[in-house]
Amino acid sequence: MSVRLTPNMIDVLPAIDIRGGRCVRLVQGDYDRETVFDDDPIAPARRWIDEGAEMLHVIDLDGAREGRAANAAFVERIAALGKPVQVGGGIRRLETVRRYLEAGVSRIIIGTAAVTDRDFLSDALKLCSEELTVSVDAKGGRVALNGWTEESELPAVALIPQLEDLGVRRFIYTDIASDGMLGGHDEAEFACVAGVARSPVTAAGGIAHPMQIRRLAANGAAGVILGRALYDGRLQLSDAFDAAAAGIRERTC
């Protein structure tokens, strides 16, 4: 199920991060700073769908750190709920890509492998160029790898044009320093990243207030990924939809 954006819509994506078969949230990607929100990740998936989510953002945290799909069975169960799903975490082999596509996953997210294994990236693009998304996860503008456990010296603003030249046509930009902190996304850094990109870029990390969503939408974000603020009840999904729509109206005026 391929999903396309139009200039008059953006994705509002509830995040479901899976570790050890449970739905959790980390703070700044730190595996030692974990909060468990549900022992069954299928339950929040159903909840967000019931509240109107049109797509879910699912990350296999074990897979991201281990370099393999560790929670694929849960991903497949979520995909079977009938709404589009984008999935990342440990996708570094073509058989994993094929498995998720066969399960009905709408978008495949590649992170570390887009930097460290260009042959795999090339093969994945041949297999699913429309569905492929690269996650650029950065702290202070520098790209992090291997489940955010390793920092590089590669600037995000340099990586994105390189990957576009290779054929990547969709990105997620995660502000690691803000992730799980509820203090707001680094909008200035996102503007720099979106400014160099010729492709849609989705914002993630620390988004906790409707006004932040509205500003990101107005300034060209292709989507927003929402995590802890939803689970804590600080942000209602309905308010996020309204804010995104308001931002789109400001963009198109």
Side-chain angles (χ1 to χ4, degrees):
M1 184 189 303
S2 182
V3 179
R4 296 176 181 272
L5 287 174
T6 73
N8 295 316
M9 66 177 285
I10 71 168
D11 294 325
V12 177
L13 299 156
I16 301 169
D17 292 354
I18 305 173
R19 185 183 183 201
R22 302 185 295 181
C23 176
V24 308
R25 297 299 298 166
L26 306 182
V27 175
Q28 296 178 321
D30 187 342
Y31 284 71
D32 293 326
R33 301 166 71 189
E34 174 189 274
T35 301
V36 177
F37 283 100
D38 204 299
D39 288 332
D40 178 8
I42 313 304
R46 290 197 177 101
R47 173 187 171 185
W48 304 135
I49 290 172
D50 288 345
E51 292 189 15
E54 292 297 330
M55 178 179 279
L56 301 173
H57 174 81
V58 181
I59 297 296
D60 178 355
L61 290 174
D62 297 304
R65 188 156 67 168
E66 298 171 13
R68 63 179 184 85
N71 288 288
F74 290 102
V75 172
E76 290 168 339
R77 289 175 61 195
I78 293 171
L81 295 176
K83 287 292 184 180
V85 175
Q86 64 179 27
V87 175
I91 302 177
R92 301 177 198 176
R93 300 167 65 92
L94 280 180
E95 48 261 50
T96 305
V97 176
R98 292 191 184 97
R99 177 176 180 175
Y100 283 151
L101 291 174
E102 289 171 2
V105 167
S106 299
R107 293 181 189 159
I108 303 293
I109 305 169
I110 296 175
T112 295
V115 178
T116 62
D117 190 346
R118 294 295 172 83
D119 288 340
F120 167 71
L121 176 63
S122 176
D123 290 341
L125 282 166
K126 292 174 185 175
L127 182 62
C128 59
S129 60
E130 288 295 322
E131 294 85 2
L132 189 74
T133 299
V134 168
S135 183
V136 178
D137 308 323
K139 187 173 183 179
R142 304 285 177 175
V143 175
L145 306 171
N146 296 318
W148 302 359
T149 60
E150 178 186 337
E151 294 184 21
S152 77
E153 294 301 315
L154 178 63
V157 292
L159 176 62
I160 287 177
Q162 292 176 16
L163 295 177
E164 287 180 314
D165 288 343
L166 295 175
V168 177
R169 292 294 175 264
R170 187 178 301 279
F171 295 90
I172 298 167
Y173 180 78
T174 302
D175 174 13
I176 295 174
S178 298
D179 192 68
M181 299 297 287
L182 301 170
H185 192 79
D186 186 336
E187 295 174 29
E189 186 63 38
F190 180 82
C192 291
V193 169
V196 302
R198 305 185 299 273
S199 309
V201 183
T202 291
I207 302 169
H209 191 277
M211 187 53 68
Q212 297 162 10
I213 298 170
R214 182 171 179 167
R215 287 195 299 264
L216 286 164
N219 290 320
V224 291
I225 295 171
L226 308 175
R228 183 175 290 271
L230 287 179
Y231 288 91
D232 280 351
R234 298 168 190 249
L235 177 65
Q236 300 301 312
L237 196 53
S238 58
D239 292 336
F241 295 140
D242 291 343
I248 288 292
R249 288 194 296 270
E250 291 174 13
R251 184 195 304 182
T252 57
C253 285

